[in-house]
Amino acid sequence: MTERQSPSRRSTVRTSWDPLAEWYDGWSGKDGSLHHRKLAIPTTLELLDPQMNERILDIGAGLGALAPHVAARLAQYVGVDVSVRMVQKARKYHGHVGTFLQGDARHLHRVPGIQSASFEGAVFLLSIQDMNPLADVLRSAAWALRGGGRLIILMIHPCFRVPRQSGWGWQEERALQYRRVDRYLTPLAVPLKEYPGKAQGSSRSFHRPLHEYVNGLADSGFVLDRMKEITSSLAASGAKSKAEARAHQEIPLFLALRARKL
Ligand SMILES: C[S@@+](CC[C@H](N)C(=O)[O-])C[C@H]1O[C@@H](n2cnc3c(N)ncnc32)[C@H](O)[C@@H]1O
C-alpha cells in the first residue's frame, strides 16, 4: 500500500494540519486572513505573474485561498496538501476553479496527477515553515517544475520572527518600540500554539535561519532572482501608537523569495 492510500500512514505525517483544519477554517476561511488578502497573496501574484494556460502548483495549499487569483489570470491551478480535511474543504470552496490533490510535499512523485517537469510555477504560501525536512521539500518542488519554472516562497520573516524567541519591547526613555531576537541561528522545531479547543502541539512549525533557504534552493538546482520584505501597516494615533506603527513599517513581517529552476 502506498503512503497516499493508507490512512494509518497518512496520519503519521506529523506536519499535517488535519487536527487544525476546523480552527484554521474559522480563522482564515475561504478567502484567507486579512494578511493573506492584503499582503501575502498580492506579493505572491506579483512575483509569480501567472500567464494564461500556465500550470501552477500550490504546495501546502490548505484551504486554497490562492486558487481564484491564479484562475483569474487564466492559469491552471493545482493545490496539494497532506491534510485530508484541508483538501476536502478546499474542494468545497474552490473546486470549481482548481484541482486539489492530497499528498505529501516531500514525495510529489507519488501523487497521482503530478508529473515531473509539468508546472511553470510553484508556490509555498505560508506553508514551507510547516514542512520538514527542507531539502526533501525543495528537491520535490524542483522535480515538479520544468526548466526555467518559477518557485515562490512566502513565509514569516525568519530573521525577525522566531517562534517563542522574539517579540516587541518598549523603551520608555526613547519612546521607542523595538524588536528583540533572542535566538536566530539555531534551527528549531516548535509545537504550534495551543488554539481554542485544540491540543497543544497538534502540529509543528520549523524555524530555520535564512542561509538554510538560500543554500537549500541552490542545492536543489534553483537560482534566486528576487526577494521582497513585506511590512504590515498599522493605523497610528497617540505617541505610543505612532512608535508602534513606525516599528511595524521598519521590521518586516513576511519574506518572499523567487527562484528559477535551472
Ligand atoms: C499554515 S497552512 C497554510 C495553508 C495555505 N497555503 C494558506 O496560506 O492558507 C500550512 C499547510 O501545510 C500543510 N502541510 C504541512 N506539511 C505538509 C506536507 N509534508 N505536505 C503537504 N502539505 C503539508 C498543512 O497541512 C497545512 O494545510
Side-chain angles (χ1 to χ4, degrees):
M1 226 183 210
T2 65
E3 181 162 334
R4 189 185 56 82
Q5 289 164 330
S6 159
S8 55
R9 290 197 62 197
R10 204 159 52 203
S11 63
T12 64
V13 177
R14 286 203 58 195
T15 56
S16 167
W17 275 40
D18 242 27
L20 300 169
E22 285 308 320
W23 168 82
Y24 196 65
D25 197 7
W27 180 76
S28 166
K30 172 173 174 277
D31 301 320
S33 67
L34 192 62
H35 278 150
H36 277 93
R37 285 177 275 126
K38 294 272 182 217
L39 304 172
I41 291 176
T43 304
T44 299
L45 290 173
E46 182 192 327
L47 293 180
L48 179 65
D49 193 18
Q51 303 295 308
M52 190 190 291
N53 292 330
E54 280 191 333
R55 281 170 53 80
I56 306 297
L57 182 62
D58 185 5
I59 306 173
L63 304 175
L66 185 63
H69 301 274
V70 169
R73 305 283 189 101
L74 305 181
Q76 297 172 42
Y77 174 96
V78 178
V80 61
D81 201 290
V82 77
S83 159
V84 177
R85 287 194 189 135
M86 288 288 211
V87 170
Q88 283 167 346
K89 285 175 177 288
R91 283 181 183 147
K92 186 180 78 182
Y93 288 149
H94 301 295
H96 57 295
V97 292
T99 304
F100 292 91
L101 306 170
Q102 191 273 326
D104 191 332
R106 299 169 301 179
H107 310 296
L108 291 174
H109 61 281
R110 294 187 195 159
V111 184
I114 301 185
Q115 282 89 36
S116 165
S118 59
F119 290 89
E120 280 77 28
V123 172
F124 291 97
L125 173 61
L126 293 171
S127 61
I128 205 158
Q129 287 159 314
D130 299 307
M131 297 176 186
N132 199 50
L134 181 65
D136 293 1
V137 170
L138 291 178
R139 208 175 302 121
S140 195
W143 171 86
L145 278 171
R146 68 164 180 76
R150 293 97 72 201
L151 175 69
I152 313 301
I153 300 177
L154 191 138
M155 60 183 152
I156 305 281
H157 204 307
C159 303
F160 302 107
R161 317 264 170 166
V162 184
R164 301 181 187 190
Q165 303 294 333
S166 64
W168 296 111
W170 177 255
Q171 192 179 1
E172 193 62 53
E173 50 297 4
R174 293 171 68 199
L176 179 78
Q177 175 161 317
Y178 62 87
R179 186 116 193 130
R180 208 200 67 230
V181 177
D182 305 333
R183 289 179 75 168
Y184 168 68
L185 279 175
T186 308
L188 299 170
V190 184
L192 288 176
K193 272 188 284 188
E194 193 171 342
Y195 298 107
K198 299 287 160 200
Q200 187 167 13
S202 303
S203 189
R204 293 202 292 172
S205 181
F206 300 89
H207 165 72
R208 308 168 183 109
L210 183 55
H211 69 259
E212 291 208 3
Y213 290 98
V214 173
N215 296 339
L217 285 167
D219 292 346
S220 308
F222 287 100
V223 176
L224 189 65
D225 77 344
R226 204 82 198 154
M227 172 168 161
K228 288 199 82 171
E229 297 180 287
I230 305 136
T231 58
S232 64
S233 51
L234 287 179
S237 66
K240 211 162 180 176
S241 319
K242 276 202 185 119
E244 193 182 348
R246 201 165 45 233
H248 279 266
Q249 280 159 20
E250 279 299 324
I251 311 288
L253 170 61
F254 294 132
L255 172 67
L257 305 174
R258 183 178 67 198
R260 286 182 193 271
K261 185 183 165 184
L262 284 173

